[in-house]
Amino acid sequence: MHECRISKNSQFTLSSSPRAARIPSKKGFRHGRFTVCNVAAPSATEQDTKATAAKEIQRPVYPFPAIVGQDEMKLCLLLNVIDPKIGGVMIMGDRGTGKSTTVRSLVDLLPDISVVVGDPFNSDPFDPEVMGPEVRNRVLNGENLPVTTTKITMVDLPLGATEDRVCGTIDIEKALTEGVKAFEPGLLAKANRGILYVDEVNLLDDHLVDVLLDSAASGWNTVEREGISISHPARFILIGSGNPEEGELRPQLLDRFGMHAQVGTVRDAELRVKIVEERARFDRDPKSFRQSYLDEQEKLQDQITSARSNLGSVQLNHELRIKISKVCAELNVDGLRGDIVTNRAAKALAALKGRETVTVEDIATVIPNCLRHRLRKDPLESIDSGLLVIEKFYEVFG
């Protein structure tokens, strides 16, 4: 019988068969005991120190309220921050329209969340669904968990990332030299309860798309290496951006995005001049430029915090739910994800506006973004899919 020690923040299972438990030796293979360990988890003081240091040296981010136009994209992002269960945003549009700038500017608006100190998976101390296995065991054993607050993290997924960097990996060198298998968490662990941003998502390698699909569907990431299985929660808001001219997105991945925002180039000359001038001001003196938008930023932060706390009390009339589902059915939307997302987005918009009841106008605002990317594509159809949704909406809602 072989022993397996459950390491911090990860769930490990080790096969009881001799073959799975053998480790190399000079004479071939021998039976031995494995010690499974995780990466060293930082203490609360170390976390605070690192966060402060990172804040001081990080690149200045363009403030969200300073972004001119692109209201559809900004609204979709805000609604996902208010209700992460909407399922993320896919932003498609021309190059140079501020897609990446807008997404990254969202960092300043992200609210604080409670996390377990020293846990690399950002485990929620109060919600078992997003707890790492080790944290959950500590809760079941009646331990008092040390809790701290931190900002929701935004993780960038580079196009050239390897699967091991995304999912996490096991240090095989330690297994060979010390008989120890150490798990190194990847980007999916870091993005748990946060935002995973993929720029140029339509250029992402297929094997990474498969990994994202698997994690987005289950909310968990499982790494299988060398006879050991490690699972941890991986619930994140998936945000992608790209230029449709550079390639189409696989429909399986497209359906995983809760909302779809289309971004176009600003045509108004005065607006274009304003955008250029604001960008020049930011490049000259980022600190004072950010300071000039501080009041608007704080006001928006308060609005988001209030909306998140009031979201549970927002009501959506049963008759309106029936009409939403009728629109989805008549547009031949596959599955029920479109119905669910539209309901959630309409409630989030009502909460953002400070209301407790969803109106028809709220639904009209969000339904094109929730359904446009779920329609079956007709190569001979010249009309935009968003307009098809709007036409059907007014036909059903009168």
Side-chain angles (χ1 to χ4, degrees):
M1 192 75 180
H2 300 286
E3 293 182 4
C4 176
R5 188 188 304 168
I6 296 180
S7 74
K8 196 163 189 176
N9 306 311
S10 297
Q11 182 181 7
F12 296 87
T13 57
L14 182 61
S15 170
S16 60
S17 68
R19 182 180 298 274
R22 289 172 183 170
I23 54 178
S25 69
K26 288 182 181 177
K27 295 181 180 180
F29 287 91
R30 63 181 174 83
H31 297 291
R33 292 183 177 180
F34 285 146
T35 302
V36 184
C37 65
N38 203 341
V39 291
S43 66
T45 311
E46 288 173 337
Q47 281 184 323
D48 292 342
T49 307
K50 284 182 180 178
T52 306
K55 197 170 182 180
E56 288 174 357
I57 62 171
Q58 71 180 2
R59 259 186 330 191
V61 178
Y62 199 83
F64 193 85
I67 293 166
V68 179
Q70 314 299 12
D71 295 330
E72 182 182 313
M73 169 172 58
K74 291 194 288 187
L75 180 64
C76 290
L77 291 170
L78 290 177
L79 296 183
N80 272 272
V81 173
I82 292 167
D83 186 1
K85 290 184 179 177
I86 287 172
V89 193
M90 178 67 219
I91 304 166
M92 295 296 274
D94 305 331
R95 62 181 74 86
T97 47
K99 300 184 295 291
S100 302
T101 301
T102 307
V103 173
R104 293 195 169 97
S105 69
L106 200 63
V107 170
D108 288 332
L109 300 176
L110 298 178
D112 292 336
I113 53 171
S114 298
V115 296
V116 177
V117 173
D119 184 74
F121 308 115
N122 298 322
S123 290
D124 188 332
F126 312 110
D127 184 2
E129 289 296 315
V130 280
M131 283 182 185
E134 198 270 340
V135 170
R136 189 181 298 182
N137 289 337
R138 288 167 65 187
V139 171
L140 292 174
N141 292 334
E143 285 187 41
N144 288 323
L145 300 174
V147 177
T148 186
T149 57
T150 184
K151 268 199 175 294
I152 289 178
T153 54
M154 180 180 287
V155 178
D156 273 285
L157 176 61
L159 291 179
T162 62
E163 189 174 335
D164 282 350
R165 180 69 189 105
V166 175
C167 297
T169 187
I170 296 168
D171 192 337
I172 301 301
E173 185 180 347
K174 282 192 177 181
L176 297 174
T177 58
E178 303 172 25
V180 171
K181 293 201 173 184
F183 176 60
E184 283 282 348
L187 296 178
L188 292 180
K190 192 177 177 184
N192 185 42
R193 300 179 68 209
I195 294 174
L196 184 66
Y197 175 48
V198 190
D199 196 8
E200 306 295 351
V201 65
N202 45 339
L203 303 181
L204 198 63
D205 286 342
D206 278 350
H207 71 283
L208 291 182
V209 171
D210 294 335
V211 167
L212 288 183
L213 282 172
D214 184 43
S215 296
S218 64
W220 283 77
N221 175 44
T222 302
V223 181
E224 302 280 353
R225 297 282 190 280
E226 307 299 325
I228 287 186
S229 173
I230 305 123
S231 295
H232 66 79
R235 295 197 173 185
F236 45 81
I237 302 172
L238 184 61
I239 298 179
S241 63
N243 183 352
E245 294 176 0
E246 294 170 356
E248 290 295 322
L249 199 62
R250 278 170 56 178
Q252 302 98 312
L253 182 59
L254 194 57
D255 188 58
R256 290 292 169 194
F257 290 96
M259 303 182 80
H260 184 285
Q262 280 191 330
V263 183
T265 304
V266 175
R267 300 299 175 192
D268 184 85
E270 288 189 11
L271 271 182
R272 292 171 76 108
V273 169
K274 185 179 179 183
I275 293 169
V276 172
E277 288 175 347
E278 292 285 87
R279 184 70 211 190
R281 274 182 59 209
F282 175 76
D283 290 339
R284 270 197 310 271
D285 190 351
K287 193 173 180 181
S288 64
F289 182 80
R290 284 173 55 83
Q291 194 70 29
S292 66
Y293 281 95
L294 194 59
D295 290 341
E296 289 181 55
Q297 194 100 314
E298 288 176 352
K299 185 179 176 182
L300 192 52
Q301 278 178 317
D302 293 341
Q303 199 177 347
I304 290 170
T305 304
S306 174
R308 280 171 66 97
S309 60
N310 296 332
L311 182 64
S313 61
V314 176
Q315 299 297 317
L316 178 56
N317 188 292
H318 180 70
E319 186 182 339
L320 294 181
R321 292 175 190 267
I322 295 291
K323 288 184 177 180
I324 288 171
S325 292
K326 190 175 180 184
V327 171
C328 295
E330 292 192 8
L331 286 170
N332 295 318
V333 174
D334 292 331
L336 294 173
R337 208 171 265 135
D339 307 53
I340 295 168
V341 171
T342 306
N343 279 264
R344 287 191 176 279
K347 284 185 175 182
L349 180 57
L352 182 63
K353 292 181 176 179
R355 287 189 270 99
E356 292 189 354
T357 308
V358 174
T359 64
V360 174
E361 288 74 21
D362 295 332
I363 300 169
T365 303
V366 300
I367 200 167
N369 304 113
C370 299
L371 301 183
R372 127 189 325 142
H373 57 301
R374 304 180 196 278
L375 303 187
R376 293 183 181 178
K377 293 206 172 180
D378 183 353
L380 302 177
E381 186 66 71
S382 58
I383 190 170
D384 177 65
S385 55
L387 294 177
L388 287 175
V389 175
I390 287 289
E391 283 179 6
K392 185 59 69 176
F393 171 82
Y394 284 114
E395 185 182 311
V396 171
F397 279 77

